[in-house]
Amino acid sequence: MEQSTTLLTILESLISEEDIQAIIDKHKYQEVARKFTVKALVHMFVMAAANEWKSFRHSADVTTSYGLPAVNYSTFSKKASTVSYAIVKDVFQLLLSRMNRWMRRSFSFPKELLLIDSTTITVGKTRLPWAPYHGERAGIKLHVALSETTEIPHKVVETTGLKHDGPLMSEFVNPQFILVADRAYFKIERVDDYVKTEHPFVIRFKTNVELFHKKSLRRFPLENSNVVADYTCQLGTAQNRSRHRHRIVEFLDNEGHVIRVVTNLRHVPAETIAKIYRARWTIEVFFRWIKQNLNVPTLFGTTENAVYNQLFSALITYVLVKVFYENGKATCQRERLNFASFTKRLLQDQLPIEWRMATQSFLQKLATFNGIRLSKTG
């Protein structure tokens, strides 16, 4: 029995063969296969992520029942290793650029938040000898800048597991957003530079950072506020002290622990600063979801190309499902679905009629805008 291919139809309607060929040409990749092409590789990995296939061999065993061409698992493995992952990453970036403009945005804060964090995927060290991590483990990292309003990535940078998070912050600088990050991304020179360039940020910092010449800010505490302090000071010791005075907000988390963040948002209530940082939980939920639902921790291959081709295809899968879910949630009133239920029903081709119509309508708009001929959905 053939399984639902709706997800592939959606992808084909948003990323055309001409788009993929242009990316292939950009990277000077010579396509010699007639059947198992780069497009087929992406489709295979997308379906593997969506349906949580366990390996190259498992994928090859079930491929025809999902509307994909029959392929030997060794062919799948070889293709995954020989196609530069930069090609699949560019497909992902193209999809992001087309989808982001369509996402509905309703800012709860002064500006859109860009949530910065990373997730590490580890395996035995013999699996990925090019990516040593700790002890007997090897690992790779995905460093992600996630839009808080759309809950889809704005940018993703891939590294090996030992790469520190802090230096990657420069990859995500974008004055159109408020950068929100945890302690790993704090650096005195960095927050000084953000003040100089007027780049908005809210960053947590370690409790052992010295505070110099504190001065409390005048504020009107709200009832049941979790804010315990709001002041300005310089950061660091005499040997390494910030050039600027920075605003510090201290507040309690749900367990009663004091969280301390630095920000250059001077005309925003302290309670809003606390809410901005707490919104960082959205990226934790994102990492948990892709690991639990897209088979991300189960790496099929052992080469750099194979690993990152799989992971960027999984991110493509997430974006496709997430964008169409958010559109349906905004337009479908009679039958409410949560994200997990929508994903399951989409893959099983069992969406309620109202959701099917909303998805088809949204797909038609996107395809028309991108100049892609819309094929019949699955």
Side-chain angles (χ1 to χ4, degrees):
M1 177 181 177
E2 185 169 299
Q3 305 296 320
S4 172
T5 58
T6 302
L7 199 61
L8 293 185
T9 304
I10 291 172
L11 178 57
E12 285 186 305
S13 300
L14 299 174
I15 305 293
S16 69
E17 296 232 18
E18 290 76 13
D19 291 327
I20 293 178
Q21 188 59 52
I23 293 172
I24 289 173
D25 293 343
K26 169 188 170 184
H27 292 280
K28 297 180 171 59
Y29 175 75
Q30 295 297 317
E31 181 72 270
V32 294
R34 288 185 297 176
K35 291 186 177 180
F36 200 64
T37 60
V38 170
K39 173 186 171 182
L41 175 70
V42 174
H43 284 193
M44 185 77 87
F45 269 137
V46 164
M47 295 302 280
N51 295 284
E52 299 186 72
W53 298 343
K54 302 303 181 185
S55 64
F56 287 126
R57 188 183 292 274
H58 177 202
S59 303
D61 288 343
V62 300
T63 180
T64 54
S65 64
Y66 286 83
L68 294 167
V71 61
N72 186 278
Y73 79 91
S74 61
T75 303
F76 185 11
S77 175
K78 182 179 179 181
K79 190 78 172 184
S81 294
T82 55
V83 171
S84 170
Y85 76 82
I87 293 175
V88 180
K89 183 176 181 179
D90 275 1
V91 173
F92 169 65
Q93 293 291 351
L94 178 60
L95 179 66
L96 286 185
S97 69
R98 289 181 172 172
M99 292 301 224
N100 267 312
R101 74 190 70 179
W102 286 94
M103 293 296 286
R104 297 173 183 270
R105 288 176 169 85
S106 178
F107 299 163
S108 302
F109 302 107
K111 257 185 175 181
E112 187 172 2
L113 308 186
L114 199 60
L115 314 175
I116 315 299
D117 208 344
S118 70
T119 189
T120 304
I121 300 163
T122 62
V123 295
K125 68 177 183 179
T126 58
R127 290 269 301 161
L128 306 179
W130 50 273
Y133 189 48
H134 295 298
E136 296 299 308
R137 307 296 289 171
I140 57 95
K141 275 187 178 181
L142 294 178
H143 305 262
V144 178
L146 189 81
S147 165
E148 184 268 339
T149 53
T150 64
E151 297 182 14
I152 65 173
H154 181 75
K155 187 175 183 179
V156 176
V157 177
E158 69 290 343
T159 70
T160 57
L162 289 178
K163 181 71 173 180
H164 292 296
D165 291 342
L168 271 295
M169 190 70 161
S170 61
E171 296 279 347
F172 304 124
V173 171
N174 189 326
Q176 296 179 358
F177 297 86
I178 299 173
L179 296 181
V180 185
D182 208 353
R183 291 170 290 193
Y185 298 91
F186 171 80
K187 191 176 181 181
I188 289 175
E189 294 84 357
R190 176 172 292 132
V191 296
D192 267 347
D193 287 344
Y194 288 165
V195 169
K196 181 180 178 181
T197 60
E198 299 183 345
H199 193 309
F201 69 91
V202 175
I203 302 176
R204 186 179 180 184
F205 62 102
K206 297 177 181 178
T207 56
N208 62 358
V209 175
E210 185 174 312
L211 309 178
F212 178 71
H213 198 195
K214 292 170 58 175
K215 182 179 179 180
S216 294
L217 295 174
R218 184 177 299 176
R219 59 186 301 270
F220 299 95
L222 300 177
E223 187 178 355
N224 299 321
S225 171
N226 63 338
V227 173
V228 296
D230 186 10
Y231 53 89
T232 65
C233 67
Q234 288 178 274
L235 300 169
T237 63
Q239 292 75 30
N240 182 28
R241 181 164 293 155
S242 64
R243 302 188 306 274
H244 301 283
R245 292 184 64 82
H246 294 281
R247 183 185 185 185
I248 310 299
V249 175
E250 298 181 5
F251 58 93
L252 301 178
D253 65 12
N254 292 335
E255 298 178 351
H257 302 133
V258 175
I259 304 295
R260 192 164 65 178
V261 299
V262 55
T263 182
N264 59 350
L265 300 176
R266 292 299 185 97
H267 304 293
V268 175
E271 286 76 14
T272 301
I273 300 297
K275 289 179 181 178
I276 287 175
Y277 181 77
R278 288 162 70 95
R280 205 189 65 83
W281 179 247
T282 301
I283 197 168
E284 302 290 352
V285 174
F286 163 75
F287 286 140
R288 181 185 299 175
W289 198 92
I290 64 172
K291 286 185 174 183
Q292 290 180 346
N293 296 278
L294 296 180
N295 213 30
V296 165
T298 305
L299 301 179
F300 291 4
T302 58
T303 67
E304 189 175 24
N305 281 332
V307 168
Y308 290 129
N309 276 330
Q310 179 184 350
L311 293 179
F312 278 108
S313 296
L315 292 174
I316 288 171
T317 307
Y318 172 82
V319 173
L320 289 173
V321 177
K322 182 65 176 177
V323 171
F324 277 82
Y325 169 70
E326 292 298 332
N327 173 74
K329 187 173 69 170
T331 57
C332 298
Q333 303 298 322
R334 286 180 294 179
E335 184 164 357
R336 299 291 186 177
L337 297 177
N338 60 33
F339 189 31
S341 179
F342 170 82
T343 303
K344 181 178 180 180
R345 294 197 187 193
L346 176 70
L347 295 176
Q348 295 178 345
D349 200 17
Q350 295 179 352
L351 284 175
I353 185 63
E354 185 183 22
W355 282 78
R356 283 176 180 267
M357 293 175 64
T359 299
Q360 181 66 33
S361 174
F362 187 53
L363 184 57
Q364 182 68 62
K365 291 177 183 178
L366 286 170
T368 300
F369 182 84
N370 292 314
I372 299 172
R373 184 177 178 181
L374 184 64
S375 57
K376 185 179 178 181
T377 51

